[in-house]
């Protein structure tokens, strides 16, 4: 955006853009005083209002820096460096870019710098199809170029933990999933990664595909767990070598925050939370630096624990032990007095509670020996709906206060079933009621309805994960059957 703004690029008006101007604005485009509306934001969109500090800086930039202090030499140096970073991002992501925000921006920057017929422009154009898709509501855009690695990893774990991986019926499917994860592991670091501000990525998995190229702590962890779980089963080949698995562990160990013991998503926290004073996004909160998340911390803790128990108990033994211990301390510190954890990547307290209880379970903490686990189970059981399910509104993410949904949700009910089972909650009744609800909503073809939205990021942006309605019922029902046996609706 800074490069495009600095260039002052304008495309000639076309009939289409003229029609768009007439459609989008409530007054003639030529009469709009854009400078006077720099801070005009619709109240529903103004989730994070600009601070006085940012307002003062913006005023100084507009009224002092641009007209009096911004020299041509500085402009040339800044534009050169900005475009070099754009090129590094394109190179490191095969032009997929981090997501559908900087992707189109980078396309436009290449259009300006390289020309409309340049190969860089064409490669960006081709990548736009990764994000755009058609549905009954019209053309929509994904938040990334997909969720392939994330969903594949969760599905493998659901099948394994439900006991169904031993069924030959699913072996071909699981083998293809393992082959996919093998093909999507990132095998090398970015060129001059410190120059382009990138985290180590050798051995990591991205959220979507290898091309996207960004290390994500929980995606790497969930993929690593899936690989270890499958490759240790009889009849499955070792597609990912010991060296590559250790590469993933090495990357995960670089991502723990020194001060808290928690794990963020893309990189450790690199700056102060005071940088949020400069947050100009308006629609998003807590975006200026990385933060600790119970979900990411749990993913890493459980992956490292699985690696030590079932793959290599000696490799970096002390480093892994310390990382797990500090991660568990963070999980305890992040728990609220009512027994809950705030979730940042799913809705909301339900999602984070499932993850947190999984991490505590992997180190032997359960309802019978841990007050923290007992409080968490009570938090869930006290919010069970009359029909036996659980339902939480996206409003919890925005307000930070648990807000019930008007109706129980299959996916969220399964999250709680999993949480109570791994926590070894002693009463079968609440869990069985929830299981019966999930079973009662299953269609004859084995599917479930797409209900309310399941995901979120940056507090206010909700994301749908359509495969969750398959993944988590499989895991929840399978875990229940492993513990208590089959039941009929």
């Amino acid at each position: 955006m800074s490069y495009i703004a600095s260039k002052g690029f304008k495309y000639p008006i076309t009939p289409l853009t003229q029609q768009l101007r007439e459609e989008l604005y409530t007054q003639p485009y030529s009469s709009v005083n854009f400078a006077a509306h720099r801070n005009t934001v619709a109240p529903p969109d103004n989730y994070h209002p600009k601070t006085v500090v940012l307002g003062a800086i913006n005023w100084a930039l507009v009224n002092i820096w641009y007209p009096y202090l911004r020299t041509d030499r500085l402009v040339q140096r800044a534009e050169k460096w900005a475009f070099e970073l754009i090129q590094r991002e394109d190179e490191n992501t095969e032009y997929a870019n981090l997501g559908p925000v900087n992707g189109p921006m980078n396309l436009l920057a290449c259009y300006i710098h390289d020309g409309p017929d340049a190969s860089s422009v064409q490669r960006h154009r081709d990548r736009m199809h990764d994000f755009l898709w058609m549905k009954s509501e019209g053309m929509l855009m994904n938040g990334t170029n997909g969720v392939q690695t994330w969903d594949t990893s969760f599905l493998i774990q659901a099948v394994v933990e439900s006991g169904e991986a031993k069924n030959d019926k699913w072996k071909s499917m699981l083998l293809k999933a393992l082959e996919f994860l093998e093909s999507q592991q990132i095998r090398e670091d970015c060129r001059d990664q410190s120059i382009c501000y990138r985290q180590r990525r050798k051995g990591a998995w991205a959220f979507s595909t290898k091309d996207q190229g960004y290390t994500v702590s929980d995606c790497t962890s969930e993929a690593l767990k899936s690989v270890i779980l499958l490759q240790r089963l009889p009849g499955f080949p070792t597609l990912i070598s010991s060296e590559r698995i250790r590469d993933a562990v090495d990357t995960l160990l670089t991502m723990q925050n020194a001060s808290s013991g928690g794990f963020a998503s893309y990189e450790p926290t690199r700056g102060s939370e005071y940088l949020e004073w400069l947050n100009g996004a308006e629609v998003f909160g807590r975006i200026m630096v990385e933060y600790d998340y119970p979900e990411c911390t749990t993913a890493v803790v459980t992956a490292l624990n699985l690696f030590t128990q079932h793959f290599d108990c000696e490799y970096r033994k002390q480093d892994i032990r310390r990382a797990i211990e500090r991660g568990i301390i963070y999980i305890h510190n992040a728990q609220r007095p009512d027994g809950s954890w705030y979730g940042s990547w799913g809705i909301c307290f339900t999602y984070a509670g499932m993850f947190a209880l999984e991490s505590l379970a992997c180190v032997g903490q359960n309802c019978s020996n841990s007050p923290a686990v007992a409080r968490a189970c009570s938090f869930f059981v006290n919010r069970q709906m009359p029909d036996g399910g659980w339902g939480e509104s996206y409003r919890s993410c925005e307000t930070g206060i648990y807000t019930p949904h008007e109706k129980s949700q299959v996916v969220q009910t399964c999250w709680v079933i999993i949480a109570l089972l791994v926590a070894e909650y002693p009463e079968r009744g609440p869990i069985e009621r929830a299981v019966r609800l999930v079973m009662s909503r299953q269609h004859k073809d084995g599917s479930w309805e797409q209900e309310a939205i399941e995901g979120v990021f940056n507090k206010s942006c909700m994301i749908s994960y359509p495969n969750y309605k398959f993944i988590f019922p499989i895991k929840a029902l399978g875990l229940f059957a492993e513990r208590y046996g089959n039941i009929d609706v």
Side-chain angles (χ1 to χ4, degrees):
M1 290 179 71
S2 62
Y3 180 85
I4 297 167
S6 182
K7 285 294 187 182
F9 175 76
K10 294 181 180 179
Y11 193 82
I13 295 296
T14 67
L16 174 61
T17 53
Q18 185 63 46
Q19 291 172 15
L20 287 172
R21 286 180 174 183
E22 294 173 2
E23 177 183 335
L24 295 174
Y25 295 94
T26 58
Q27 65 188 83
Y29 181 86
S30 59
S31 69
V32 179
N33 182 353
F34 284 97
H37 292 285
R38 183 173 284 115
N39 295 308
T40 302
V41 184
D45 292 333
N46 203 16
Y47 180 78
H48 186 97
K50 292 187 180 75
T51 63
V52 174
V53 173
L54 181 59
I57 292 172
N58 286 341
W59 183 91
L61 288 172
V62 171
N63 295 288
I64 300 175
W65 172 257
Y66 273 90
Y68 303 114
L69 302 178
R70 186 173 178 263
T71 66
D72 290 342
R73 183 181 178 187
L74 280 173
V75 170
Q76 291 171 5
R77 287 183 61 191
E79 289 178 352
K80 182 176 182 296
W81 177 237
F83 192 73
E84 183 174 337
L85 290 177
I86 290 169
Q87 290 178 306
R88 294 293 183 94
E89 168 76 352
D90 291 345
E91 172 190 326
N92 292 331
T93 64
E94 295 292 334
Y95 290 82
N97 300 132
L98 177 59
V101 176
N102 69 327
M105 291 293 179
N106 284 12
L107 187 160
L108 186 53
C110 289
Y111 186 99
I112 296 167
H113 186 276
D114 299 337
D117 300 321
S119 61
S120 60
V121 174
Q122 185 56 51
R123 293 198 65 183
H124 273 298
R125 287 185 190 276
D126 293 340
R127 280 295 191 183
M128 290 300 103
H129 297 288
D130 292 357
F131 305 112
L132 296 169
W133 60 294
M134 293 297 295
K135 194 172 179 285
S136 55
E137 296 97 322
M139 182 176 288
L140 303 178
M141 179 170 281
N142 289 329
T144 66
N145 64 328
V147 294
Q148 296 91 317
T149 293
W150 183 246
D151 279 3
T152 302
S153 300
F154 269 151
L155 181 58
I156 290 172
Q157 292 176 46
V159 176
V160 171
E161 294 181 37
S162 68
E164 285 296 315
K166 300 172 186 176
N167 188 336
D168 288 341
K169 181 179 182 179
W170 313 121
K171 185 173 181 179
S172 174
M173 175 192 72
L174 292 173
L175 182 56
K176 290 178 181 178
L178 179 60
E179 290 171 347
F180 174 79
L181 291 184
E182 188 279 328
S183 71
Q184 297 304 313
Q185 187 182 25
I186 302 171
R187 305 292 298 279
E188 69 288 317
D189 286 321
C190 297
R191 178 171 62 90
D192 300 327
Q193 67 182 33
S194 61
I195 293 177
C196 48
Y197 313 110
R198 289 290 294 272
Q199 179 71 14
R200 173 194 158 104
R201 69 178 190 176
K202 183 180 181 182
W205 279 270
F207 184 59
S208 54
T209 62
K210 180 180 179 178
D211 282 356
Q212 197 263 0
Y214 271 83
T215 299
V216 191
S217 64
D218 54 356
C219 300
T220 299
S221 299
E222 302 299 348
L224 177 61
K225 287 191 289 186
S226 300
V227 169
I228 293 174
L229 287 170
L230 272 188
Q231 291 192 167
R232 64 189 291 266
L233 289 177
F236 284 90
T238 302
L239 299 184
I240 299 181
S241 67
S242 299
E243 179 184 1
R244 290 169 62 182
I245 287 176
R246 293 187 185 104
D247 285 340
V249 170
D250 289 341
T251 292
L252 289 175
L253 290 173
T254 69
M255 303 186 76
Q256 190 166 32
N257 284 317
S259 60
S260 66
F263 287 82
S265 52
Y266 287 93
E267 62 187 20
T269 303
R270 294 183 177 182
S272 167
E273 191 170 354
Y274 288 120
L275 287 169
E276 295 294 349
W277 289 358
L278 306 181
N279 180 355
E282 295 157 349
V283 295
F284 298 136
R286 289 167 65 87
I287 64 168
M288 297 300 287
V289 296
E290 276 276 29
Y291 294 92
D292 300 312
Y293 303 110
E295 307 101 298
C296 294
T297 303
T298 287
V300 178
V301 165
T302 53
L304 294 178
N305 182 70
L306 186 69
F307 172 84
T308 299
Q309 288 193 357
H310 297 294
F311 189 81
D312 188 338
C313 62
E314 294 299 326
Y315 183 73
R316 300 192 64 175
K317 182 177 181 180
Q318 296 304 317
D319 293 336
I320 291 174
R321 180 183 60 80
R322 284 193 297 270
I324 292 174
E325 288 176 351
R326 296 182 63 239
I328 293 298
I329 290 171
Y330 162 76
I331 292 292
H332 279 286
N333 290 338
Q335 188 179 30
R336 294 186 175 188
D338 64 2
S340 68
W341 288 269
Y342 177 85
S344 297
W345 302 103
I347 298 173
C348 170
F349 296 95
T350 313
Y351 185 72
M354 174 188 67
F355 274 92
L357 289 176
E358 285 183 319
S359 65
L360 297 179
C362 85
V363 295
Q365 297 183 23
N366 55 51
C367 266
S368 65
N369 61 22
S370 169
V373 175
R375 287 200 310 275
C377 290
S378 295
F379 175 85
F380 280 136
V381 173
N382 291 339
R383 286 160 179 78
Q384 189 170 25
M385 292 182 161
D387 64 4
W390 280 268
E392 184 180 2
S393 167
Y394 74 91
R395 292 288 296 168
S396 296
C397 306
E398 296 179 333
T399 64
I401 300 170
Y402 184 92
T403 306
H405 196 279
E406 60 186 16
K407 179 183 177 183
S408 61
Q409 304 292 307
V410 165
V411 171
Q412 293 175 352
T413 299
C414 290
W415 290 343
V416 180
I417 292 170
I418 294 165
L420 294 177
L421 287 171
V422 300
E424 299 182 22
Y425 185 69
E427 297 180 28
R428 174 174 172 167
I431 304 174
E432 183 171 332
R433 289 179 60 220
V435 167
R436 290 186 180 279
L437 173 80
V438 174
M439 293 171 65
S440 71
R441 291 194 189 169
Q442 188 178 28
H443 296 167
K444 291 182 179 180
D445 64 358
S447 67
W448 282 268
E449 288 290 335
Q450 182 67 37
E451 297 178 332
I453 206 156
E454 309 94 346
V456 65
F457 70 89
N458 299 134
K459 291 181 173 289
S460 60
C461 184
M462 306 305 147
I463 306 177
S464 179
Y465 287 86
N467 285 329
Y468 278 10
K469 65 180 177 287
F470 306 112
I471 292 168
F472 289 104
I474 291 171
K475 181 173 179 177
L477 297 177
L479 287 176
F480 181 86
E482 289 280 297
R483 175 77 59 83
Y484 295 113
N486 285 322
I487 60 172
D488 295 323
V489 178

